[in-house]
């Protein structure tokens, strides 16, 4: 795990006191796990406001109260799963019977407000288990020094001749000389997919596989090799199953 890593967490609950409890218990859970990851929490009191924010911000982990006026947790999850299928989702509720309706939305975990600390610990443990490979740090030689680049921050890698461009989720680019094959070998096991002779893509950010292009979560479309479509589709099916722990 890369030291100092920060992830953005969205918490949506129509009760301010419960928002306080969820955030406080979340931070306590991190301490209990001995995690060096920092979680920056964004809080919302209704589903519509949260959904609007999710279109602009890349939340890695969500905690959604199921029973809310207007757009409730289940309806919100349905929208979010369509927009960002790789976002990890945890339902929170006072009513334990609702756990039986939750699997339809493929949540990471179900947290009962009556057992908040115990369930939160389990939810965080599951989050770190299923996202372990996305937190690998890739050491990139930069001149005469090295830079730590969290794998999760790499959107895709592009090759032109012998020039490698690492395109990051924040829009920045890093360049080095080498081959895409060598990069593919270095990132083996980190869920990067070769979609074209010139592109290696982080599967976490693939939104859709089209006929000739792969569409990313930031709206970018990358050309896909003619003979790679079936393999890319199959790889994404397996990746999505694994992401949800199935």
């Amino acid at each position: 795990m890369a030291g100092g890593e920060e992830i953005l967490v969205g918490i949506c609950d129509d009760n301010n006191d419960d928002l306080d409890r969820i955030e406080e218990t979340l931070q306590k859970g991190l301490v209990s796990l001995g995690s060096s990851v920092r979680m920056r929490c964004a809080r919302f009191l209704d589903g519509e406001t949260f959904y609007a924010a999710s279109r602009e911000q890349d939340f890695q982990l969500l905690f959604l109260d199921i029973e809310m006026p207007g757009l409730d947790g289940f309806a919100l999850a349905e929208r979010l799963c369509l927009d960002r299928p790789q976002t990890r989702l945890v339902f929170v509720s006072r009513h334990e019977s609702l756990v039986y309706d939750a699997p339809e939305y493929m949540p990471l975990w179900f947290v009962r407000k009556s057992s908040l600390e115990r369930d939160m610990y389990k939810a965080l443990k599951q989050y770190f288990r299923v996202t372990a490979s996305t937190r690998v740090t890739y050491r990139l030689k930069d001149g005469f020094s090295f830079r730590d680049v969290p794998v999760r921050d790499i959107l895709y890698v592009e090759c032109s001749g012998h020039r490698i461009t690492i395109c990051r989720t924040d829009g920045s680019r890093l360049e080095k000389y080498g081959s895409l094959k060598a990069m593919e070998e270095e990132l083996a096991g980190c869920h990067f997919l070769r979609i074209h002779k010139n592109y290696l893509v982080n599967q976490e950010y693939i939104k859709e596989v089209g006929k000739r292009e792969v569409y990313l979560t930031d709206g970018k479309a990358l050309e896909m090799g003619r003979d790679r479509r079936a393999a890319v589709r199959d790889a994404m099916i397996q990746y999505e199953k694994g992401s949800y722990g199935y």
Side-chain angles (χ1 to χ4, degrees), residues 115-174:
S115 302
L116 196 59
E117 287 196 19
R118 183 173 64 179
D119 288 355
M120 180 66 76
Y121 179 86
K122 292 179 179 178
L124 288 174
K125 199 170 181 180
Q126 177 71 350
Y127 173 78
F128 288 126
R129 185 185 74 81
V130 302
T131 62
S133 64
T134 68
R135 297 193 307 280
V136 174
T137 295
Y138 175 71
R139 293 185 66 77
L140 175 68
K141 189 172 182 180
D142 181 21
F144 295 101
S145 62
F146 286 85
R147 301 181 63 175
D148 285 337
V149 181
V151 170
R152 196 180 191 286
D153 290 351
I154 301 176
L155 188 63
Y156 66 94
V157 181
E158 182 177 359
C159 179
S160 177
H162 294 293
R163 184 181 293 276
I164 297 291
T165 302
I166 297 172
C167 303
R168 304 175 69 185
T169 55
D170 63 2
S172 65
R173 292 171 170 249
L174 302 172

Side-chain angles (χ1 to χ4, degrees), residues 12 14 45-49 65-76 79:
C12 190
D14 62 330
L45 283 164
D46 66 272
E48 291 288 356
T49 303
D65 183 24
I66 293 177
E67 293 191 302
M68 296 185 290
L71 193 62
D72 66 21
F74 285 154
L76 181 55
R79 290 192 189 181

